[in-house]
């Protein structure tokens, strides 16, 4: 799974319904027809009322998803009109929503809704409706909603064209200015920002078959945005998801702030057994970093939207895995039970380490996922793909349940994603830097071309923060607890690093032959862990 940046953007239980709260089949099918899904349903069951308002309550999207999953998947849609089908990047970028036509402001609330036009990378239509006082009213396509700039569209466009996605603005950084808060566009991708953040990584509704040759990309067919009242602090967005393997009902509750939170609750209706599923998937980019600058002669020292995977295990251990741009695809699996959280984070916040005045990599958020309820046995999966540029998303992380979700059995899940800007997630010391070098004294002559030398490396790990700074003057430093799944750790050392308020640890590692070893290290005092656990894979030819 590798995506161009332009595309980015619990216990199983049956959903019981009583006769009093179950809408009639005609109401359910009428709702699906109003969303343009008539082709997916028996013609005799469809009421021909496209574009009309419908009664709405939160469980309605679940009923639509369940009815949709009972039908064969149909991902077809009418082709874009000719003037839109041929748009290139520049022409599409010139089409902008007129901010004075934004929705949601009529009730005096703080949020504003804008829409994305279809075209270029976004040909699939997405229906968008506003929910007010229990009534859902679709937004009809109107070219007057958009400023086409220098892009010329000849002829009228159909009113059922719909849209490519949505974005929400709110007074995020200043009370007198509307800033972009969250965007949904392309498949099930979405991105959101906290204060003083710039877009980087993305989240997705669901990932299926990510490690395989043919990844399946579930997509949102429709959005239902609840019109918020005056003084509302959060916005609720309902979404209908579909794909060959599953249909689903999602609810996103977005609350802007320093670390904007997006609470996600979903009900999935599998059409077939879901074994290769990824929950709460995150997608990011890692090109050049401190562990390997050999991919490019760019003047900028580091280029990445995220620099590490953070995991809070069910047992209470905190783990940090620095990201890498590997030579070949690498999939890492971290077994766990009832995880407390995981996320792709941008820990390095120093401009000097990026030197990019435009991209602002030091301001990219990290997304940390906090499951609600017990997610059971499974694993956090990290996939790293090789890339030769900074325009591709080559990193993905998600939770994979141990047991597949069987077809026909609804699955409920909920979690919160927070947009962080380098804040400490736990009180212990953390990994600030990871460097890799030849295990030799500084200034020593290099043994060029020696195969044995390539099977020995020195890993330098800077641990800082927590209580580490309080003990820098003590005679005895913390104990290094280190291990290697293969090969040998031939030497260790630890020295104070006052520049970070912590310590620099060195591990000399040797493999006796070609292979890969998984390295782990942390610092402790007595029986108390002082830091999170550093984890890193190393391969030698």
């Amino acid at each position: 799974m590798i995506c161009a940046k332009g595309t980015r953007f619990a216990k199983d239980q049956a959903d019981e319904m009583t006769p009093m709260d179950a809408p009639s089949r005609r109401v359910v099918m009428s709702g699906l027809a109003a969303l343009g899904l008539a082709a997916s349903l028996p013609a005799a069951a469809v009421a021909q009322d496209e574009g009309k308002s419908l009664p709405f309550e939160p469980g309605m999207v679940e009923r639509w998803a369940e009815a949709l999953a009972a039908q064969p998947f149909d991902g077809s849609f009418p082709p874009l009109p000719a003037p839109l089908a041929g748009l290139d990047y520049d022409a599409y970028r010139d089409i902008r929503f007129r901010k004075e036509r934004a929705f949601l402001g009529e009730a005096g609330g703080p949020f504003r809704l804008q829409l994305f036009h279809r075209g270029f990378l976004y040909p699939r239509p997405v229906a968008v409706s506003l929910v007010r006082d229990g009534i859902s009213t679709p937004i009809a396509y109107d070219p007057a909603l958009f400023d086409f700039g220098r892009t010329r569209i000849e002829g009228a466009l159909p009113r059922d064209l719909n849209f490519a996605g949505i974005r929400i603005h709110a007074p995020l950084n200043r009370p007198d200015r509307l800033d972009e808060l969250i965007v949904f566009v392309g498949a099930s991708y979405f991105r959101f920002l906290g204060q003083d953040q710039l877009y980087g990584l993305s989240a997705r509704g669901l990932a299926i078959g990510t490690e395989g040759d043919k990844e399946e990309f579930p997509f949102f067919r429709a959005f239902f945005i609840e019109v918020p009242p005056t003084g509302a602090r959060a916005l609720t967005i309902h979404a209908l998801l579909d794909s060959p393997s599953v249909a689903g009902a999602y609810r996103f509750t977005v609350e802007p702030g320093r670390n904007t939170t997006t609470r996600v609750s979903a009900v999935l209706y599998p059409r077939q057994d879901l074994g290769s599923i990824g929950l709460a998937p995150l997608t990011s980019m890692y090109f050049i970093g401190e562990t390997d600058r050999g991919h490019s002669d760019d003047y900028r020292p580091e280029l990445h939207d995220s620099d590490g995977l953070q995991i809070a295990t069910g047992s209470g251990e905190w783990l940090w895995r620095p990201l890498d741009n590997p030579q070949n695809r690498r999939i890492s699996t971290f077994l766990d039970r009832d995880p407390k959280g995981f996320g792709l984070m941008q820990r390095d916040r120093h401009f000097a380490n990026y030197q990019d005045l435009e991209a602002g990599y030091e301001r990219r958020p990290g997304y940390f996922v906090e499951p609600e309820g017990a997610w059971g046995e499974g694993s956090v999966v990290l996939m790293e793909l090789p890339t030769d540029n900074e325009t591709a998303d080559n990193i993905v992380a998600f939770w994979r349940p141990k047991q597949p979700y069987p077809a026909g059995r609804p699955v409920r899940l909920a979690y919160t994603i927070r947009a962080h800007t380098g804040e400490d997630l736990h009180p212990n010391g953390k990994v600030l830097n990871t460097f890799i070098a030849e295990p030799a004294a500084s200034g020593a002559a290099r043994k060029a071309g020696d195969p044995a030398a390539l099977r020995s490396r020195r890993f330098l790990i800077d641990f800082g923060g927590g209580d580490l700074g309080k003990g820098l003057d003590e005679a005895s430093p913390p104990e290094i607890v280190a291990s290697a799944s293969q090969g040998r750790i031939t030497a260790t050392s630890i020295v104070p690093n006052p520049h970070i308020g912590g310590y620099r640890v060195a591990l000399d590692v040797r493999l006796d032959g070609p292979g890969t070893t998984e390295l782990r290290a942390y610092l402790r005092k007595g029986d108390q862990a002082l830091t999170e656990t550093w984890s890193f894979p190393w391969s030698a030819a």
Side-chain angles (χ1 to χ4, degrees):
M1 199 276 328
I2 190 163
C3 298
K5 283 187 181 290
T7 66
R8 293 192 304 178
F9 252 67
K11 180 179 179 182
D12 299 354
Q13 59 184 20
D15 184 15
E16 298 179 358
M17 294 172 52
T18 65
M20 292 299 293
D21 63 13
S24 69
R25 177 174 174 80
R26 180 178 178 84
V27 169
V28 171
M29 297 304 177
S30 296
L32 289 168
L35 301 176
L37 304 182
S40 302
L41 304 166
V46 176
Q48 301 302 316
D49 60 350
E50 285 94 335
K52 294 184 179 179
S53 298
L54 294 168
F56 185 92
E57 49 89 16
M60 189 69 74
V61 184
E62 294 182 22
R63 315 291 181 255
W64 288 333
E66 184 178 23
L68 192 61
Q71 310 300 321
F73 172 73
D74 182 1
S76 63
F77 54 89
L80 280 171
L84 297 176
L87 296 180
D88 60 15
Y89 171 80
D90 291 326
Y92 179 76
R93 190 181 180 187
D94 245 15
I95 305 176
R96 301 177 181 273
F97 191 88
R98 297 182 184 276
K99 61 182 181 180
E100 68 273 13
R101 299 293 302 272
F103 299 90
L104 302 182
E106 61 272 22
F111 301 95
R112 299 293 183 272
L113 165 67
Q114 296 187 14
L115 306 165
F116 286 100
H117 205 286
R118 290 174 63 196
F120 188 48
L121 296 176
Y122 310 111
R124 182 177 294 280
V126 177
V128 182
S129 300
L130 299 179
V131 177
R132 183 187 295 104
D133 299 328
I135 299 297
S136 170
T137 302
I139 299 176
Y141 172 78
D142 183 351
L145 295 173
F146 297 90
D147 179 353
F148 288 80
R150 293 168 296 178
T151 299
R152 295 290 176 258
I153 304 296
E154 302 295 336
L157 295 172
R159 286 185 59 81
D160 61 354
L161 187 67
N162 277 320
F163 309 96
I166 65 173
R167 63 180 170 189
I168 303 296
H169 287 73
L172 178 63
N173 295 297
R174 286 174 23 186
D176 59 342
R177 185 179 69 189
L178 293 174
D179 298 303
E180 193 160 294
L181 175 66
I182 188 168
V183 169
F184 292 82
V185 64
S188 67
Y189 285 82
F190 62 98
R191 300 191 291 175
F192 59 98
L193 296 171
Q195 291 175 358
D196 196 35
Q197 296 175 359
L198 300 176
Y199 279 133
L201 80 168
S202 300
R204 284 194 278 169
L206 201 63
I208 299 177
T210 304
E211 305 102 313
D213 295 330
K214 294 183 178 180
E215 182 174 6
E216 183 176 311
F217 288 90
F219 58 91
F220 290 125
R221 287 188 178 270
F223 293 101
F224 307 85
I225 299 99
E226 295 187 14
V227 177
T230 302
R233 299 183 60 181
L235 180 72
T236 299
I237 301 170
H238 304 266
L240 180 65
L241 178 135
D242 199 11
S243 81
S245 299
V246 62
Y250 279 70
R251 182 174 62 195
F252 301 89
T253 303
V254 188
E255 184 172 352
R258 173 61 186 164
N259 298 321
T260 292
T261 62
T262 300
R263 186 180 184 275
V264 184
S265 59
V267 186
L268 306 177
Y269 296 92
R271 287 188 172 94
Q272 58 193 42
D273 292 349
L274 299 178
S276 182
I277 190 173
L279 305 181
L282 306 174
T283 301
S284 193
M285 179 276 293
Y286 186 94
F287 179 34
I288 303 172
E290 61 196 24
T291 59
D292 187 357
R293 295 185 173 92
H295 298 285
S296 172
D297 61 357
D298 197 295
Y299 74 94
R300 297 165 296 175
E302 299 187 32
L303 299 169
H304 49 74
D305 289 335
S306 306
D307 57 8
L309 170 67
Q310 179 89 76
I311 300 176
T313 69
S315 65
E317 180 184 27
W318 285 86
L319 185 146
W320 177 258
R321 170 67 169 274
L323 297 179
D324 191 24
N325 182 1
Q327 294 183 352
N328 300 293
R329 185 179 74 162
R330 176 191 292 152
I331 299 176
S332 303
T333 302
F334 303 85
L335 300 178
D336 200 7
R337 181 184 183 90
D338 298 333
K340 293 182 172 63
F342 68 93
L344 293 175
M345 313 303 290
Q346 184 77 314
R347 183 169 280 182
D348 192 334
R349 294 287 160 185
H350 301 289
F351 168 78
N353 292 336
Y354 301 102
Q355 291 294 333
D356 194 314
L357 293 170
E358 181 180 1
Y361 285 110
E362 71 279 3
R363 295 172 59 193
R364 305 295 171 98
Y367 288 170
F368 194 72
V369 175
E370 301 170 32
E372 295 185 18
W375 279 20
E377 291 186 83
S379 56
V380 176
V381 177
L382 171 68
M383 186 165 71
E384 299 163 293
L385 299 173
T387 181
D388 61 1
N389 62 76
E390 63 186 294
T391 64
D393 280 345
N394 62 321
I395 305 294
V396 63
F398 53 79
W399 172 259
R400 169 153 294 157
K402 180 179 180 179
Q403 298 299 327
Y405 293 147
R409 185 178 180 185
V411 178
R412 292 186 179 272
L413 66 143
Y415 54 93
T416 296
I417 311 178
R418 302 185 192 276
H420 286 268
T421 315
E423 293 82 2
D424 292 338
L425 293 174
H426 59 85
N428 288 345
K430 60 184 180 181
V431 177
L432 298 180
N433 299 299
T434 300
F435 305 106
I436 306 176
E438 184 179 357
S442 298
R446 301 296 189 244
K447 300 177 181 179
D450 182 357
L454 298 177
R455 293 176 186 160
S456 296
R457 303 300 284 168
R458 175 169 295 163
F459 294 85
L460 302 164
I461 309 113
D462 282 340
F463 290 100
D467 292 331
L468 293 179
K470 299 177 181 179
L472 293 182
D473 296 330
E474 295 181 0
S476 58
E479 177 188 2
I480 305 170
V481 183
S483 64
S485 62
Q486 302 292 331
R488 294 169 291 148
I489 297 177
T490 59
T492 64
S493 67
I494 181 171
V495 295
N497 186 345
H499 300 284
I500 61 169
Y503 295 88
R504 175 164 292 178
V505 171
L507 307 178
D508 286 1
V509 181
R510 180 178 179 82
L511 286 172
D512 295 326
T516 298
T517 184
E518 184 75 29
L519 305 172
R520 289 169 61 92
Y522 69 94
L523 301 182
R524 74 180 177 192
K525 199 84 166 178
D527 58 358
Q528 179 184 1
L530 300 180
T531 70
E532 63 191 6
T533 299
W534 170 85
S535 171
F536 197 83
W538 173 56
S539 298

